[in-house]
Amino acid sequence: MKKLLLICASVLMFLSKGLAQTNNSTITWSGYVDAYYAYDFNQPDDHLRPSFLYNHNRHNEFNINLAYIKGAYSSTRTRANLAIMAGTYAQYNMAAESPLLQHIFEANVGIKLSQQHDIWLDAGILPSHIGFESAVSKDCWTLTRSILAENSPYYESGAKLSYTSPNQQWTASVLALNGWQRIKRLDGNQTVSLGTQITHKPNENLTLNWSTYYGNEGINNISQKRYFSNLYAIYQHEKWGFIAGFDYGSQQKANTDGYNNWYSPVAIVRYQLAPKMRLAARYEYYQDKNGVIIATNTPEGFQVTGYSLNWDYQVAENAVFRIEAKNYHANSAIFTEKSQPKNDNLAITSSIAVQF
């Protein structure tokens, strides 16, 4: 970790002293801290909430979900981002990566390919092109993430070619990736994964998005093709807002012609109670009977319905206090309470998040 911080400090110093002196270039600094306390009524002895959660997942302890410091460089034809992070999100979501990379939140560079058109080529560790939620909870409508967000990529490593129309209403991207939320490629897997994204904003109130992913998730030369589609719509008008999303995935059974499927719908409604107060309610369902993404070792697999309600208070323009109650109900007893199987999981989470 010390070596990583020294490397990053050197890079950021170079950006500040060198690149800032070039014409039409800027460097901006930002930071973010999300402190939280979660109470799981199933009271896990190890203080760890269900294994399919990667954000705000420590029970009955005050902790940091995500804290990062970021430097962003931009000029007419080039751009770069470097963000170093810590917190329980990094601890659990990046567990499969090498220790040197587990604290990288974002590290990428980009070049503009055309003087007349908004066409960019970016490469490195990038934010995911899938979904309407990120690990930065302050930017999301609910305090905690949906099951579909927790179990699809938050980040990806590769190259992205993107185009934005002159009227800013259309954005299209094509990506070449190392895999499904991977910096380090799977052993014995030499296949480049592919992604696409099309976003349409016909007006300031509506956003429509379709993202896809294709890749081979097999190891040691085993073929396991994965196809994935993510659709969502976001509508905001005056005090009311609505999000509807749907994920569908299909993965080849190892070295066979058969496929296992999973899917998840989600709906979120948000209402502005007062200038500084908001309410948001969420319904979600996630079905993965064959355990492609979430394994349960039960005959019915993972079939979970979730409901949540959260209240937000905007302390300042860059700070928010939030509290959320969320309940999961599973078709089979996949949760535990005092070592006893249980179908339900109820938790209350609170957070103070500040961006600067």
Side-chain angles (χ1 to χ4, degrees), residues 156-177:
E156 50 203 12
S157 184
K160 178 173 73 171
L161 181 66
S162 60
Y163 167 76
T164 301
S165 64
N167 61 8
Q168 305 292 308
Q169 290 188 358
W170 291 91
T171 301
S173 303
V174 179
L175 303 97
L177 304 168

Side-chain angles (χ1 to χ4, degrees), residues 76-283:
T76 306
R77 299 294 299 275
T78 59
R79 59 191 181 190
N81 298 282
L82 178 60
I84 308 303
M85 68 174 169
T88 55
Y89 162 80
Q91 178 183 358
Y92 293 100
N93 198 56
M94 307 290 286
E97 306 295 351
S98 66
L100 185 64
L101 298 173
Q102 288 177 359
H103 295 278
I104 301 292
F105 183 67
E106 189 177 352
N108 53 75
V109 294
I111 55 174
K112 191 175 183 182
L113 300 181
S114 172
Q115 292 184 348
Q116 291 78 31
H117 303 286
D118 195 3
I119 302 175
W120 286 83
L121 177 63
D122 296 278
I125 301 172
L126 302 158
S128 175
H129 71 289
I130 294 171
F132 57 87
E133 296 175 286
S134 74
V136 183
S137 64
K138 179 180 176 292
D139 296 337
C140 301
W141 286 18
T142 56
L143 167 55
T144 64
R145 305 290 69 75
S146 305
I147 303 175
L148 58 80
E150 293 281 57
N151 295 278
S152 59
Y154 280 112
Y155 67 92
E156 50 203 12
S157 184
K160 178 173 73 171
L161 181 66
S162 60
Y163 167 76
T164 301
S165 64
N167 61 8
Q168 305 292 308
Q169 290 188 358
W170 291 91
T171 301
S173 303
V174 179
L175 303 97
L177 304 168
N178 287 344
W180 177 269
Q181 189 167 265
R182 295 187 185 280
I183 301 173
K184 177 184 178 296
R185 183 169 290 179
L186 290 166
D187 294 339
N189 186 324
Q190 305 300 330
T191 307
V192 175
S193 300
L194 302 174
T196 65
Q197 182 177 21
I198 298 174
T199 304
H200 181 43
K201 296 182 178 181
N203 54 61
E204 62 180 9
N205 303 118
L206 180 63
T207 300
L208 304 172
N209 185 92
W210 180 36
S211 300
T212 68
Y213 171 88
Y214 164 77
N216 176 21
E217 300 305 306
I219 61 174
N220 299 324
N221 299 315
I222 295 175
S223 177
Q224 282 190 283
K225 297 175 183 176
R226 176 176 295 179
Y227 301 89
F228 182 80
S229 174
N230 160 250
L231 288 165
Y232 66 82
I234 303 174
Y235 181 75
Q236 179 71 56
H237 182 66
E238 295 180 351
K239 293 184 177 182
W240 287 95
F242 182 76
I243 296 176
F246 185 77
D247 283 5
Y248 184 86
S250 183
Q251 181 165 303
Q252 180 185 11
K253 299 177 183 178
N255 287 329
T256 71
D257 294 329
Y259 280 81
N260 292 319
N261 306 313
W262 72 97
Y263 67 90
S264 177
V266 60
I268 301 173
V269 178
R270 186 171 71 172
Y271 179 69
Q272 189 85 35
L273 286 170
K276 292 187 177 182
M277 287 189 291
R278 287 193 297 254
L279 282 178
R282 171 176 53 197
Y283 162 81

